[in-house]
Amino acid sequence: MTIFQTILSVSLISTALAVLVVIADAIFNNYGECILDINNGNTKLTVNGGSTLLNSLAANRIFIPSACGGKATCGLCKVQLATDVGPVLPTEEPYLTDEEMQDGVRLSCQIKVKQDLALSIPEELFNIEQYETRIERITPMTHDIKEFRFVLEEPKVMEFKAGQYVQIDSKPYPGMQEQVSRAYSISSVPSETGAVELIIRLVPNGICTTFMHDHVKEGDTITMRGPFGEFYLREGADELIFIAGGSGLAPVKSMVYDILEKKLDKQMTFFFGAVTKKDLYYVELFQDLEKRYENFRYIPALSDPAPDDNWDGEVGLITDVVAKYVETPNNKQGYLCGSPGMINACINVLTGIGLTDEDIFFDKFT
Amino acid sequence: MGDAVAINPFIILLAAIFTSNMVLANFLGMCSFIAVSNEYKTASGLGKAVTLVMVVTTILNWIIFRFVIIPLGLEYLRFIIFIVVIAATVQIIEMAMDRYLPELHIKLGIFLPLITVNCAILGISLFMIIRDYGAVQSLFFGVGSGLGWWLAICALAAIREKIAKNKLPLGLDGPGITFIITGIMALAFIGFAGTLIVQ
């Protein structure tokens, strides 16, 4: 009897309180219809207030990059607000520079829509869509790198620039309940709009890379958003220096193919850094391109070749190899993709040769 | 209610602030007391938020105890009922504050969810039942305990800000020295003991 009474009382009281909270939510959290004025009236959205700016925009299919899902731990979802919504919150402070704070830049996951807001969003973000995709093919490239080919099912077409990236949503798997979104560069060529290829390296204890390497198979569905990113080909120089390590090869492959397809008059040199021969991949592919096209040169370099590698190519750190081949800064641009350590070292080498910061573009894995 | 009625609410208020301070005499609410006392400004913000929630939940829990729990004979469920009432109250306070007092919400908003699980808040509700306080007494008890907690965390944060500029033995740095300071502060507060006899 007591048990019955206990269960009944606790359920009733909890229900009563839950109803109270729901009513309070409906009353206090109801800010009516708010108008979001994006980019000086270019786009006007009417949304129901009370939700975060990030979610309100996503509900209207404007996807601001976000890797943490609105927990204020990634600092990616920045937008510039023209409307004053009060001081910067302590949760935002670590991710904003003094300059950004002055310009009204805020984290959209921490801003609640309570009034009409005027904001600016980079135009590229309007192209970003959420895609339902199916894994068509998984190809092992090295001992820890796999290539994935995804067919876009809904929507069916993605327009992107060579060098940009997409975000993949992981799903829970045994031993990991958390769901995350992670960014991977597209390695396929932009002219193929119905599918994308990604090159993913297994990071020890990485939530999403472990998911992709050990818990998906061909035919599985994956949700991704894109295209994102500022790492793409710029006007200005005729000689392009590509430097990559590991899965940093992905955007370079896309860019090289894009340039060759469009028959642009560019001289390209691709430096690829690895430790031993087993870390190299797509060697035949790039060597074949080198034979077929006069304006493409491929220079793989091993920092510590194994004795049985029989390696007769370049040996040494990629920075030394780049310094050996690149002599003058004239008419050159550098495109770098890889670990922050490698990129920083390579930026030093290129600026040492004489390239300016405006001529060096990079995509750091963080 | 018996003898408890005789205690003047003002005595209860002063006792809750000084002689039987929630943190320094009862050692309740220690987790946030230690964790959020690095900076005076934040500590004071948390202190204010705790005071607010304590006052509101004490009154609410007193009403619920008198008019729901006792008539239904559910005294044995008071722990769980008090906790859900506190959780719901904090939720509603946060939403209402965000709507009507946005300035205050910016200052206190991030602390409110933290307070839901602060044992000092539950402690007040339970003490008030054990000590058989009336409505006014409970109100003053809640206000006093909140102010006492606020005073204690501000004092600790002020001391820690001073200490941060000094060199400490490596082993004591961080929580170690914080516990020692808390202990010495508790000793200081014992100096008030005897001036007011309220358990």
Side-chain angles (χ1 to χ4, degrees):
Chain A
M1 192 57 203
T2 317
I3 295 173
F4 182 68
Q5 187 194 6
T6 307
I7 294 171
L8 191 73
S9 324
V10 173
S11 325
L12 277 179
I13 290 171
S14 308
T15 316
L17 288 170
V19 169
L20 260 180
V21 172
V22 170
I23 294 172
D25 186 58
I27 297 170
F28 297 138
N29 220 359
N30 178 7
Y31 293 88
E33 286 194 342
C34 300
I35 294 169
L36 302 180
D37 177 341
I38 303 169
N39 297 350
N40 291 321
N42 277 356
T43 310
K44 282 201 174 173
L45 300 173
T46 309
V47 300
N48 280 324
S51 180
T52 65
L53 183 56
L54 179 72
N55 290 341
S56 303
L57 289 170
N60 285 285
R61 300 197 75 79
I62 296 177
F63 299 101
I64 309 286
S66 161
C68 68
K71 299 195 190 87
T73 56
C74 72
L76 285 177
C77 62
K78 291 175 185 174
V79 296
Q80 194 176 2
L81 287 178
T83 315
D84 181 22
V85 290
V88 172
L89 300 176
T91 41
E92 297 173 274
E93 257 167 32
Y95 303 100
L96 300 173
T97 63
D98 290 344
E99 212 170 281
E100 284 175 328
M101 288 187 204
Q102 277 182 358
D103 291 345
V105 174
R106 305 290 295 262
L107 295 188
S108 59
C109 69
Q110 298 298 300
I111 304 292
K112 205 162 155 183
V113 180
K114 298 185 201 170
Q115 64 201 82
D116 294 352
L117 293 176
L119 58 148
S120 36
I121 297 173
E123 285 293 337
E124 304 90 87
L125 293 186
F126 286 97
N127 282 332
I128 293 166
E129 274 285 354
Q130 179 158 303
Y131 294 85
E132 297 307 322
T133 70
R134 189 170 296 280
I135 301 176
E136 188 184 48
R137 195 178 64 220
I138 302 176
T139 322
M141 306 305 297
T142 72
H143 60 104
D144 62 352
I145 295 178
K146 284 181 181 175
E147 184 191 70
F148 297 82
R149 184 179 166 82
F150 302 85
V151 177
L152 307 181
E153 297 201 321
E154 186 54 45
K156 291 185 180 310
V157 171
M158 188 191 294
E159 305 273 353
F160 65 96
K161 293 178 189 154
Q164 287 192 303
Y165 66 87
V166 291
Q167 280 187 339
I168 286 190
D169 291 344
S170 76
K171 294 174 190 167
Y173 51 86
M176 177 53 64
Q177 287 309 305
E178 202 181 334
Q179 267 180 287
V180 294
S181 300
R182 291 287 183 265
Y184 300 102
S185 295
I186 304 171
S187 62
S188 51
V189 63
S191 59
E192 189 186 19
T193 54
V196 292
E197 289 171 15
L198 307 178
I199 293 173
I200 299 177
R201 172 182 223 147
L202 179 65
V203 178
N205 300 321
I207 297 175
C208 196
T209 63
T210 308
F211 168 70
M212 289 303 292
H213 268 255
D214 300 339
H215 300 278
V216 297
K217 55 187 188 306
E218 290 173 0
D220 285 359
T221 55
I222 297 281
T223 303
M224 62 171 72
R225 280 170 304 285
F228 297 103
E230 304 293 314
F231 184 64
Y232 47 78
L233 200 66
R234 312 297 168 106
E235 299 284 320
D238 295 327
E239 285 182 48
L240 310 180
I241 302 157
F242 296 104
I243 309 173
S247 53
L249 179 141
V252 175
K253 177 170 171 270
S254 178
M255 285 168 147
V256 167
Y257 269 87
D258 192 38
I259 292 168
L260 294 175
E261 247 180 28
K262 290 177 178 161
K263 298 196 167 59
L264 299 180
D265 191 15
K266 307 265 185 193
Q267 195 66 42
M268 295 177 276
T269 314
F270 175 25
F271 296 94
F272 184 73
V275 182
T276 63
K277 210 168 176 177
K278 75 176 167 65
D279 300 310
L280 289 176
Y281 60 107
Y282 272 141
V283 177
E284 286 85 20
L285 181 113
F286 284 112
Q287 282 175 342
D288 177 57
L289 284 183
E290 198 175 21
K291 273 179 212 147
R292 287 197 287 146
Y293 297 93
E294 275 187 1
N295 60 342
F296 178 74
R297 190 149 64 136
Y298 171 58
I299 303 172
L302 298 184
S303 61
D304 190 14
D308 55 356
D309 274 353
N310 297 322
W311 180 251
D312 53 3
E314 292 292 339
V315 175
L317 287 173
I318 194 71
T319 43
D320 300 332
V321 179
V322 171
K324 185 173 147 191
Y325 281 84
V326 183
E327 283 159 358
T328 63
N330 307 337
N331 204 10
K332 288 189 176 73
Q333 281 178 339
Y335 292 87
L336 286 48
C337 189
S339 65
M342 185 211 93
I343 289 192
N344 292 339
C346 288
I347 291 175
N348 284 339
V349 170
L350 291 180
T351 47
I353 293 164
L355 273 81
T356 60
D357 288 344
E358 288 81 53
D359 295 323
I360 302 173
F361 307 94
F362 54 84
D363 195 356
K364 272 184 206 177
F365 299 161
T366 45
Chain B
M1 293 199 199
D3 295 340
V5 180
I7 302 172
N8 187 326
F10 282 103
I11 305 278
I12 293 179
L13 177 87
L14 291 176
I17 301 176
F18 298 109
T19 52
S20 46
N21 186 290
M22 259 303 135
V23 201
L24 298 172
N26 291 306
F27 290 95
L28 285 176
M30 286 303 282
C31 11
S32 35
F33 181 72
I34 300 290
V36 195
S37 55
N38 285 323
E39 265 181 56
Y40 179 79
K41 221 178 111 191
T42 4
S44 178
L46 180 64
K48 286 177 206 165
V50 166
T51 309
L52 173 74
V53 173
M54 258 186 199
V55 175
V56 177
T57 55
T58 313
I59 298 167
L60 268 180
N61 278 340
W62 188 85
I63 295 171
I64 286 173
F65 191 75
R66 285 292 135 114
F67 299 107
V68 181
I69 296 182
I70 292 183
L72 296 178
L74 296 173
E75 283 92 342
Y76 66 102
L77 282 177
R78 60 178 186 269
F79 277 76
I80 200 164
I81 293 173
F82 285 168
I83 287 176
V84 287
V85 168
I86 292 169
T89 312
V90 171
Q91 278 273 320
I92 294 172
I93 290 179
E94 199 199 347
M95 281 189 270
M97 195 190 273
D98 194 11
R99 179 72 187 250
Y100 300 109
L101 303 164
E103 305 262 305
L104 193 64
H105 185 258
I106 286 165
K107 292 197 185 98
L108 301 186
I110 51 166
F111 299 119
L112 287 174
L114 202 69
I115 292 170
T116 320
V117 288
N118 187 325
C119 45
I121 312 265
L122 178 65
I124 301 294
S125 293
L126 293 172
F127 279 143
M128 120 195 133
I129 301 307
I130 295 167
R131 294 176 194 170
D132 216 1
Y133 284 162
V136 182
Q137 287 171 319
S138 296
L139 173 65
F140 278 71
F141 183 49
V143 175
S145 301
L147 292 177
W149 203 91
W150 185 5
L151 174 72
I153 196 169
C154 283
L156 177 66
I159 295 171
R160 285 184 73 178
E161 272 195 5
K162 288 262 178 206
I163 279 189
K165 298 188 185 105
N166 297 310
K167 256 194 151 168
L168 286 174
L170 208 58
L172 280 181
D173 211 359
I177 195 70
T178 311
F179 277 109
I180 293 175
I181 299 167
T182 311
I184 296 173
M185 276 170 61
L187 283 176
F189 271 65
I190 284 180
F192 294 117
T195 48
L196 298 165
I197 304 167
V198 175
Q199 177 34 54

